[in-house]
Amino acid sequence: MARDAILALNGLTMQFGGLLAVDDLSFEAKRGDITALIGPNGAGKTTVFNCITGFYEPTSGAIRVNHADGKTFALEKLPDFKIAKRVHVARTFQNIRLFPGMTALENLMVAQHNVLMRASGFTVFGLFGLPGYRRAEREAVELARYWLEKTALTDRADDPAGSLPYGAQRRLEIARAMCTKPVLLCLDEPAAGLNPRESDELNVLLRAIQKESDASILLIEHDMNVVMEISNHIVVLDHGKKISEGAPEFIRNDPKVIAAYLGVEEDAVDAAEAEVGA
Amino acid sequence: MSASSAGKSSVVMHALKDALIAGIVAFGLFVLLLGFLADDTLGKLRPLPRPVLLAAAVGIVFVGRFLISLIYYNAAALRVLLGELFVAAFALAKRFRFVLLALMIVLAFVWIYRVPDDWPLVATIIITILFAVWLGLTPALLALAVLFPVAFYSNPYYLGIAIIILTYVMLGWGLNIVVGLAGLLDLGYVAFYAVGAYSYAIIAQAYGWSFWVCLPLAGLFAAFFGVLLGFPVLRLRGDYLAIVTLAFGEIVRIVLLNWISLTNGPNGIGSIPRASFFGIPFTADDDGFAARFGFEFDPTHRTVFLFYLILALALITNWVTIRLRKLPVGRAWEALREDEIAVRSLGINPTNTKLTAFAIGAMFGGFAGAFFATRQGFISPDSFTFPESALILAIVVLGGMGSQIGVAIAAIVMTASFELFREFEQFRLVIFGFAMVGIMIWRPRGLISSREPSVYLKERKTISAEHVAEGHG
């Protein structure tokens, strides 16, 4: 596996009873790149995400994350919260999962739990308001303020997350993931439900993350406007298998990808039927 | 016109039908419960029919159901009417607020005239209300709590009730950490209260250590039991969690009943060492509290001391909870209540988060238990039954999950009304039930259901209940 790969999947397989959701999938995502994972509905994209972020334990296969300092982590055996805590892989969810009753700022503070927990001496120092913790909390608020500005949410910082409009909730979820200082940011359909203007703004935000932070991005997306414009590398899944991989230009013209999305041409169906003897 | 009048009559018919069914059900339910009294005055047991009572009960249900159905079927129109009435009444009350104040004072005088001994209580209530209006609820209640023994020094009955109220305030605040903040429904909270009381009683008797040594130990034991309960229920949510915590409460009580060599079983533990004033006992001896400080001996000294002790313990619980809410662990609790999956995705260990909530909630329950043991001087498993748990949970739910002042008010109202309705002993639970139903209709998220954010950038805005999750387990 190349050292410049932030994420490498090798033979990842996920089976639910009789259903093979992901079948022997291997690909790499380069450090600093935006890698997109696309495919028709039910192709197994979210399952791959859940395996990477530890919400599922894969049936077999290896998932490796390389940090810039040379450390390598095997993700397939780590539980979900340890992947976020130690390996610094952050994620968002297809159906937004914010803390709706907490303010936008509080959401971003929860994301910095582990840093603040250490600073508060696992609650003991924090309970008595020692200066070390207060400084750490100020820094945490500053980081939150930085990401609130990046996501244009500063004005709504003190409003409950549940009261924000849909697009703002999507951005807040990304800001929350960024507050964990990730090396790999996994976005599950970040443009779902956004209008064209909002998805353009999302492109700008993701490019800014790519340029200004240490995070590489892996995203699942159906919105081809977003995918084709910002990703450096695209992996196409269909029925749990990788059917194609390459730069956006290559994918756009790959007949296998077009067939998977639009259905195969008629003579191909005839050929297949002849094969099975129908 | 005819269509609408036909509609109206059908609405009335519908309501009548509803009321009739409710009446029949009520009759079936009450015919044995209220219809007959088991009377044994003449030496033999015979049923004494009580037709009037039965008819009254069924009649109330019939009429009530009829009215509710009428309201329900004409909901929109009635809501408008009620809304207008409410607004008008409010405006009227505001306009004549001085008249209302005067009326309140007159009522107070009537009360004092009828029960002259109650005058300090009436005066206290009025002063507290005035303070609450002028300065806010929290300072008023705090001032009331601090000055209470001064005002009622000569009335040990009131002091006793106030101590019970404060115990429940503390228990409510303790359970609030588990249920209100972390969103973990705990139906067996009384188990930790029991563990605290028994560990205090056993340690204090066996080793003769002072209250101030045994109190933290009792809290530690209870916290340990909190972790013990926490481990098996980590994976459970909602109803399943509630069932297991309920069972845990029962297990602890049954163990206390049957482990006779340690707990003395159903006979309980008596002559538990009393709390001392930092080593100085409240006795009439020469080295007792009164003699040392040059007072005349008075058993009320101990009661007043106990009052301030439980007040301090409750305020510590409150202070710790308020601090914890602003620390990462408290934010993680609330986040856990809002969405556990998201919590995991942010690298927060859900196991530790849940266990700390159980342990800290249990610890305060244990402190309260130790206080209970030293106040009573006698404990038995009878004091730690499920209704206790239910009462504490009711205090948290009625007060508004997560709200400190709401829980305090609910504890005061519930416990004080239990005393107030002591004369109507048999109807106490009925009134209690009605109060619960009423709260659930008008304020389904509790008295104070809004949430105060733990940190803010520009301004602190109160978060209304509609956004706040109740937790799933």
Side-chain angles (χ1 to χ4, degrees):
Chain A
M1 167 170 120
R3 291 287 352 156
D4 66 341
I6 177 85
L7 172 76
L9 266 62
N10 199 351
L12 181 74
T13 302
M14 182 77 219
Q15 192 153 12
F16 297 106
L19 178 78
L20 197 57
V22 179
D23 186 4
D24 194 23
L25 175 70
S26 307
F27 70 86
E28 289 189 354
K30 283 208 181 68
R31 190 184 314 283
D33 268 8
I34 297 183
T35 307
L37 195 58
I38 65 169
N41 284 329
K45 305 179 298 283
T46 298
T47 308
V48 172
F49 254 48
N50 283 339
C51 288
I52 294 173
T53 51
F55 282 84
Y56 294 156
E57 191 185 318
T59 314
S60 64
I63 307 168
R64 297 284 177 274
V65 165
N66 288 319
H67 278 190
D69 62 5
K71 273 195 211 120
T72 300
F73 295 87
L75 265 49
E76 64 271 14
K77 291 294 172 214
L78 283 178
D80 43 26
F81 72 89
K82 280 192 181 153
I83 287 177
K85 185 177 176 179
R86 293 207 196 132
V87 193
H88 290 280
V89 175
R91 72 169 293 175
T92 65
F93 296 87
Q94 198 171 344
N95 42 351
I96 305 172
R97 283 185 174 275
L98 289 167
F99 308 121
M102 303 174 88
T103 65
L105 179 64
E106 281 181 303
N107 269 270
L108 303 191
M109 296 297 279
V110 173
Q112 303 177 58
H113 177 85
N114 289 315
V115 175
L116 287 173
M117 201 68 180
R118 268 192 301 280
S120 72
F122 297 90
T123 307
V124 182
F125 302 155
L127 198 58
F128 299 102
L130 294 192
Y133 173 68
R134 268 185 277 163
R135 198 179 326 116
E137 193 178 31
R138 267 200 304 278
E139 282 164 15
V141 171
E142 279 314 307
L143 182 66
R145 189 203 296 272
Y146 174 79
W147 283 110
L148 284 169
E149 268 162 31
K150 281 276 164 210
T151 48
L153 288 169
T154 315
D155 291 343
R156 306 299 300 268
D158 298 319
D159 289 327
S163 75
L164 299 180
Y166 191 82
Q169 293 197 10
R170 283 249 175 249
R171 292 202 304 279
L172 181 59
E173 211 189 8
I174 294 174
R176 188 179 66 181
M178 286 312 295
C179 278
T180 65
K181 296 189 176 159
V183 297
L184 179 64
L185 174 65
C186 301
L187 304 172
D188 197 345
E189 297 200 21
L194 300 188
N195 63 34
R197 191 174 56 81
E198 284 173 325
S199 69
D200 284 344
E201 286 168 5
L202 178 72
N203 285 351
V204 174
L205 173 64
L206 294 186
R207 280 234 181 78
I209 290 174
Q210 185 184 21
K211 212 178 292 169
E212 292 164 30
S213 80
D214 299 330
S216 313
I217 298 176
L218 178 68
L219 85 157
I220 292 177
E221 190 46 74
H222 281 299
D223 187 337
M224 287 302 146
N225 170 32
V226 173
V227 172
M228 292 299 166
E229 204 174 312
I230 65 166
S231 41
N232 306 96
H233 189 76
I234 298 177
V235 176
V236 190
L237 280 187
D238 191 21
H239 293 107
K241 283 195 171 101
K242 182 171 81 180
I243 57 168
S244 183
E245 180 175 21
E249 243 352 272
F250 171 74
I251 295 297
R252 197 196 297 274
N253 302 315
D254 187 346
K256 274 183 284 184
V257 177
I258 297 169
Y261 266 92
L262 303 177
V264 288
E265 282 161 28
E266 227 166 281
D267 49 354
V269 176
D270 292 342
E273 281 181 347
E275 215 168 281
V276 297
Chain B
M1 195 67 212
S2 70
S4 95
S5 76
K8 243 175 212 158
S9 82
S10 92
V11 162
V12 172
M13 284 309 292
H14 226 93
L16 264 179
K17 207 175 108 188
D18 256 12
L20 203 64
I21 292 170
I24 291 167
V25 171
F27 180 79
L29 207 63
F30 290 139
V31 66
L32 289 177
L33 281 177
L34 297 178
F36 294 95
L37 181 71
D39 179 65
D40 63 348
T41 42
L42 298 174
K44 69 175 189 175
L45 200 63
R46 64 201 169 89
L48 206 67
R50 293 190 292 186
V52 179
L53 187 64
L54 180 63
V58 174
I60 289 170
V61 170
F62 181 83
V63 173
R65 180 70 217 183
F66 179 69
L67 289 177
I68 287 171
S69 299
L70 264 189
I71 291 168
Y72 182 76
Y73 291 121
N74 292 306
L78 261 159
R79 206 174 300 133
V80 171
L81 185 69
L82 282 177
E84 277 168 5
L85 274 177
F86 183 76
V87 169
F90 194 74
L92 213 65
K94 207 170 165 190
R95 189 155 170 206
F96 294 106
R97 57 190 182 280
F98 294 110
V99 179
L100 280 177
L101 199 67
L103 200 69
M104 202 166 84
I105 292 168
V106 169
L107 271 176
F109 273 111
V110 172
W111 185 357
I112 293 169
Y113 177 74
R114 291 195 53 199
V115 197
D117 288 347
D118 272 355
W119 77 263
L121 181 68
V122 178
T124 311
I125 291 174
I126 288 178
I127 291 170
T128 311
I129 290 173
L130 289 179
F131 255 119
V133 170
W134 277 325
L135 296 174
L137 207 51
T138 313
L141 285 179
L142 204 61
L144 171 69
V146 171
L147 296 175
F148 195 85
V150 181
F152 295 98
Y153 183 78
S154 55
N155 198 331
Y157 173 65
Y158 286 155
L159 277 178
I161 292 173
I163 288 173
I164 294 172
I165 290 175
L166 282 173
T167 313
Y168 280 101
V169 170
M170 178 169 178
L171 286 169
W173 278 340
L175 184 60
N176 198 19
I177 293 174
V178 184
V179 178
L181 294 184
L184 303 160
L185 183 54
D186 185 352
L187 289 182
Y189 191 64
V190 79
F192 307 125
Y193 190 41
V195 168
Y198 269 88
S199 42
Y200 172 77
I202 292 166
I203 296 171
Q205 272 196 338
Y207 299 102
W209 293 343
S210 90
F211 177 77
W212 299 103
V213 179
C214 297
L215 180 76
L217 284 178
L220 276 181
F221 267 106
F224 171 71
F225 270 76
V227 175
L228 214 62
L229 165 68
F231 262 113
V233 302
L234 280 173
R235 289 156 184 279
L236 304 178
R237 301 169 138 246
D239 305 350
Y240 305 100
L241 177 72
I243 291 167
V244 175
T245 52
L246 175 69
F248 179 78
E250 285 302 291
I251 289 169
V252 166
R253 191 177 63 84
I254 290 167
V255 167
L256 292 177
L257 265 178
N258 290 287
W259 193 353
I260 290 172
S261 59
L262 183 73
T263 66
N264 202 17
N267 297 328
I269 299 178
S271 57
I272 299 165
R274 298 296 199 151
S276 56
F277 186 79
F278 304 98
I280 306 169
F282 289 95
T283 53
D285 305 344
D286 282 346
D287 55 353
F289 174 80
R292 288 269 193 101
F293 289 87
F295 298 128
E296 193 94 1
F297 174 74
D298 186 341
T300 314
H301 288 158
R302 188 214 307 279
T303 320
V304 171
F305 173 70
L306 285 175
F307 178 91
Y308 282 118
L309 178 60
I310 185 65
L311 180 63
L313 286 174
L315 288 179
I316 288 172
T317 312
N318 184 34
W319 179 80
V320 169
T321 312
I322 289 173
R323 291 287 318 170
L324 287 179
R325 269 200 66 208
K326 299 184 180 191
L327 287 173
V329 64
R331 291 205 193 99
W333 288 340
E334 291 203 79
L336 195 71
R337 176 192 68 204
E338 300 279 323
D339 193 325
E340 185 175 340
I341 304 246
V343 161
R344 289 164 182 270
S345 83
L346 296 173
I348 301 172
N349 185 338
T351 308
N352 291 352
T353 309
K354 282 185 190 177
L355 287 183
T356 47
F358 271 121
I360 293 178
M363 182 181 76
F364 289 122
F367 287 156
F371 173 82
F372 177 76
T374 192
R375 182 182 75 97
Q376 296 286 94
F378 166 79
I379 49 170
S380 78
D382 286 345
S383 307
F384 309 106
T385 51
F386 172 68
E388 266 326 90
S389 281
L391 175 64
I392 303 165
L393 186 66
I395 285 171
V396 174
V397 172
L398 293 186
M401 290 197 275
S403 157
Q404 296 293 97
I405 190 77
V407 168
I409 294 170
I412 293 170
V413 170
M414 301 272 280
T415 325
S417 64
F418 261 37
E419 286 305 317
L420 209 61
F421 294 117
R422 193 165 278 289
E423 292 159 45
F424 320 100
E425 181 102 34
Q426 45 186 330
F427 295 111
R428 265 204 309 201
L429 281 178
V430 177
I431 294 166
F432 178 62
F434 272 123
M436 286 280 243
V437 171
I439 288 273
M440 288 302 110
I441 289 175
W442 286 298
R443 298 203 69 100
R445 303 294 296 263
L447 287 174
I448 297 180
S449 48
S450 54
R451 179 180 171 271
E452 288 293 323
S454 63
V455 61
Y456 61 98
L457 209 56
K458 293 200 196 79
E459 54 169 329
R460 192 182 290 276
K461 297 178 189 166
T462 301
I463 297 169
S464 81
E466 60 190 297
H467 298 298
V468 183
E470 286 151 328
H472 308 282

